[in-house]
Amino acid sequence: MGSADYTNRNLISSGIVVLRKPVIETQYAWVMKNGNFLTPNIDYIVNYRYNAVELKDMLLENDRIDILQFGTAPVN
């Protein structure tokens, strides 16, 4: 408890994925759930205050989330 992994696991299970770098605008973060692209501002929003993507629907245990993030500098 209290570790970064524990915190991230709890955030992800509640539909919040913290990004590694800030996103300029919503269209610069593409989110896929189980291989299908989600629709910005419908299926997810970018929370600029917390530098995170918030998913509308809760995740199931085996869901896979991939985020393709565009920015001014490369992000690994």
Side-chain angles (χ1 to χ4, degrees):
M1 289 213 295
S3 72
D5 289 337
Y6 178 82
T7 301
N8 284 336
R9 173 82 168 126
N10 283 337
L11 287 171
I12 290 170
S13 67
S14 64
I16 298 172
V17 182
V18 177
L19 302 171
R20 292 182 184 166
K21 297 276 185 172
V23 176
I24 299 168
E25 304 235 358
T26 300
Q27 66 262 24
Y28 294 110
W30 295 358
V31 180
M32 291 190 318
K33 180 179 176 182
N34 300 323
N36 298 308
F37 280 102
L38 300 180
T39 305
N41 298 318
I42 295 175
D43 297 318
Y44 69 94
I45 61 167
V46 173
N47 184 321
Y48 298 104
R49 182 175 180 198
Y50 298 111
N51 190 41
V53 168
E54 292 184 41
L55 303 170
K56 177 185 172 197
D57 296 326
M58 299 307 283
L59 297 172
L60 300 176
E61 186 174 336
N62 293 324
D63 282 340
R64 178 186 169 120
I65 297 296
D66 294 299
I67 299 176
L68 180 59
Q69 181 177 348
F70 298 93
T72 56
V75 177
N76 294 329

